[in-house]
Amino acid sequence: MGAGAGSASRGSPQRTESCPPSNVHLGDGSLWCNVVNSILSVVCVLMVQTLQQDIEALRASALEVFRACREHLQDGLSEVVAAVQRAQLCHQALLAWQSKAGHLERSLQEVNTRYELEKQKRKVLHNRLVELKGNIRVHCRIRPLLPFDKELDDAASQDSSMPAGVVHAVDDETVLVKCDRPAHALINKTYNFERVYGPAESQHAVFGDVCPLLTSLLDGYNVCILAYGQTGCGKSYTMLGPHSEEECVPARGPHSDLGILPRAAGELFRPVHSAEDFIALAAGSLRLRAQLATQVHARSSRSHLIITATLTTAPTCSSPADRQSHGPPLEGRPSCGRASPGSPGAQGPAEQVHAKLQLVDLAGSECAGVSGVTGLALRETSFINRSLAALADVLGALSERRGHIPYRNSQLTHFLQDVLGGDAKLLVILCVSPSRKHVAETLRCLGLGARVRQVQRGQAGGGSPASRRPRNQ
């Protein structure tokens, strides 16, 4: 017990130390409450200050956004005002351009009217120029000496200072033929033509003198370009250009030495795609052309080649732009009313005019004894020479102004009647060889050309082509 009491007495002070008195405990609770309240007050103050700072920052940010929006709005309003001002200026400029466009349209109508008048005057002046040069013109082309001309070496060995051959182009209008036959005195004969092409003249130079006739064709006049001469003198080369040995088809391509036919087709049908079709049709006809090897030429043509293109003017007027966008079709071409003779600019009732272009590559004239042909070929040669003689008779009758022109003596002259008489434009290209062995045929050809030059028709009255319809052949 004592021990237990002692133990109890020893444990009592420990409880006194660990548990303060009740009054002290109550005082500490109030203190903690005050501390907590103080902390809460401080926290609230801090939160209020933070909230106030956030509100101030938010207010400042809102003010900044408001100022930015106001500035953007002012900039947008300024841009709108500027755009409205520009729109007003553009509207005023549009009105001004509309006024100018109306003025230009009226000016264009006046220019178109003057253009039509000037076009009629140009047609009249061009026709007068062609007629002053001659409605029938004669050109002469001398081909170069070729390897099959046997006199090449002989001419060079006789006199190296003299040019080979007996036919020479003295100038652009004069041909000199040296007739130095054995046991005969030397005789020099000269012939004058509108144009003479020497052996070095190009196909381009020849076609340059043909272009004015194509203009006459588009003006409504019949045009014929005719190559005449002995076999092997360059008629087919002049009219068609080079061709292969297998097929008598004109060569194509920008670098080929094209003849009058493909060049004329390209010039007339340049705005459209008819040129190739036209040449293709001509090539189909060329394949049917008969040829025969003779002692004069290895590929002697046994028929005349006549290629005809008819252009029909329609009695409707169109603007120059329309005429440029639509090229002259093969069977029709728009045109306006034509001027009457004596009043180049007068606008009369439009009449339909059929203008005909005929490109003729005649069969070569041959002497039966020189060509060495017999049988059927001899008969063909006789017919060819007979038709060429009929053509010479017609041209002679025209030069002598006979009352009767024998067009019906041959199918050739009957077919070419429209382009041999009247106001048609005829160009005869005499193709001659410079070779001595062909001098007789050369003189005969040049003599015919001299007779043709004497033909006078179609005085320079400046009138328009007469309305015509295609004649039944």
Side-chain angles (χ1 to χ4, degrees):
M1 292 293 291
S7 301
S9 62
R10 285 193 300 267
S12 176
Q14 293 177 353
R15 289 193 298 269
T16 302
E17 292 176 359
S18 60
C19 296
S22 59
N23 55 352
V24 176
H25 176 75
L26 292 174
D28 292 340
S30 300
L31 180 60
W32 283 108
C33 290
N34 292 334
V35 171
V36 171
N37 290 333
S38 299
I39 292 172
L40 291 176
S41 298
V42 172
V43 171
C44 290
V45 171
L46 293 176
M47 291 178 64
V48 169
Q49 291 178 352
T50 303
L51 183 60
Q52 289 178 349
Q53 293 176 355
D54 293 340
I55 292 173
E56 291 295 332
L58 181 61
R59 181 180 179 184
S61 177
L63 291 176
E64 185 66 25
V65 171
F66 176 75
R67 284 193 295 270
C69 290
R70 184 175 62 182
E71 291 176 356
H72 285 298
L73 180 61
Q74 290 178 350
D75 294 340
L77 290 176
S78 299
E79 293 178 357
V80 170
V81 171
V84 171
Q85 293 177 351
R86 288 194 300 269
Q88 292 177 350
L89 294 176
C90 291
H91 180 67
Q92 295 176 357
L94 178 61
L95 294 178
W97 281 111
Q98 287 178 347
S99 177
K100 291 182 179 179
H103 177 70
L104 290 176
E105 185 176 1
R106 292 189 295 271
S107 299
L108 180 60
Q109 293 176 353
E110 296 176 358
V111 170
N112 285 339
T113 303
R114 292 198 299 269
Y115 167 77
E116 293 297 332
L117 296 176
E118 293 298 328
K119 185 177 69 173
Q120 299 299 330
K121 294 179 181 179
R122 182 207 60 78
K123 289 181 180 179
V124 172
L125 293 176
H126 177 78
N127 185 50
R128 286 180 179 176
L129 177 62
V130 173
E131 288 181 348
L132 288 174
K133 291 182 177 180
N135 269 349
I136 296 182
R137 308 194 68 196
V138 181
H139 295 181
C140 178
R141 188 177 195 186
I142 307 171
R143 72 159 172 83
L145 284 168
L146 300 177
F148 59 80
D149 293 320
K150 298 180 179 179
E151 65 183 27
L152 276 173
D153 295 335
D154 296 338
S157 61
Q158 290 176 3
D159 189 354
S160 59
S161 63
M162 295 295 295
V166 297
V167 183
H168 310 283
V170 178
D171 52 37
D172 290 344
E173 298 180 354
T174 307
V175 177
L176 173 64
V177 181
K178 295 183 178 181
C179 304
D180 52 348
R181 293 180 298 173
H184 290 80
L186 176 63
I187 301 176
N188 292 335
K189 292 187 177 181
T190 59
Y191 298 86
N192 294 321
F193 302 105
E194 282 79 11
R195 183 71 165 87
V196 174
Y197 307 100
E201 296 275 6
S202 65
Q203 298 277 65
H204 178 74
V206 176
F207 184 72
D209 294 324
V210 173
C211 283
L213 297 179
L214 299 182
T215 303
S216 296
L217 172 71
L218 297 179
D219 288 343
Y221 293 92
N222 288 337
V223 173
C224 178
I225 303 171
L226 184 147
Y228 181 92
Q230 185 189 9
T231 298
C233 291
K235 299 186 302 299
S236 297
Y237 178 81
T238 298
M239 298 301 297
L240 306 174
H243 50 271
S244 63
E245 295 293 333
E246 293 78 12
E247 297 183 356
C248 299
V249 180
R252 300 184 184 182
H255 302 293
S256 59
D257 200 7
L258 299 177
I260 293 177
L261 169 63
R263 289 176 184 267
E267 186 73 17
L268 290 175
F269 306 106
R270 180 168 45 188
V272 292
H273 299 287
S274 300
E276 295 182 358
D277 298 337
F278 186 81
I279 296 177
L281 291 174
S285 301
L286 289 173
R287 294 188 180 94
L288 302 177
R289 195 177 191 187
Q291 295 181 348
L292 179 68
T294 67
Q295 295 181 5
V296 177
H297 193 264
R299 299 174 60 190
S300 175
S301 299
R302 314 310 294 172
S303 61
H304 305 303
L305 173 66
I306 303 176
I307 298 177
T308 304
T310 302
L311 276 71
T312 303
T313 61
T316 57
C317 291
S318 59
S319 64
D322 293 337
R323 282 189 294 273
Q324 292 178 0
S325 61
H326 303 286
L330 187 61
E331 293 295 336
R333 180 176 181 265
S335 179
C336 293
R338 299 188 176 278
S340 60
S343 60
Q347 291 290 339
E351 295 181 349
Q352 196 174 59
V353 176
H354 300 272
K356 183 183 297 184
L357 171 65
Q358 289 189 324
L359 303 174
V360 184
D361 178 16
L362 294 174
S365 60
E366 291 183 356
C367 177
V370 176
S371 62
V373 294
T374 58
L376 182 59
L378 179 60
R379 184 178 176 84
E380 288 179 345
T381 301
S382 175
F383 285 142
I384 291 173
N385 291 338
R386 194 176 304 172
S387 63
L388 295 176
L391 176 62
D393 291 340
V394 168
L395 295 176
L398 289 172
S399 65
E400 297 173 3
R401 298 189 178 184
R402 300 176 192 170
H404 171 69
I405 308 299
Y407 290 113
R408 296 184 177 272
N409 285 0
S410 170
Q411 292 185 358
L412 173 64
T413 54
H414 181 59
F415 189 81
L416 298 178
Q417 179 177 349
D418 290 341
V419 294
L420 294 178
D423 58 359
K425 319 299 178 185
L426 172 62
L427 172 60
V428 179
I429 302 178
L430 306 175
C431 298
V432 298
S433 167
S435 174
R436 181 179 290 105
K437 65 180 180 181
H438 298 150
V439 66
E441 287 293 334
T442 298
L443 291 175
R444 188 178 297 109
C445 178
L446 296 177
L448 174 66
R451 293 178 60 190
V452 174
R453 284 201 68 197
Q454 299 175 4
V455 178
Q456 296 180 0
R457 58 173 170 80
Q459 300 300 321
S464 299
S467 60
R468 62 178 76 88
R469 294 182 179 179
R471 179 174 56 85
N472 294 329
Q473 304 296 341

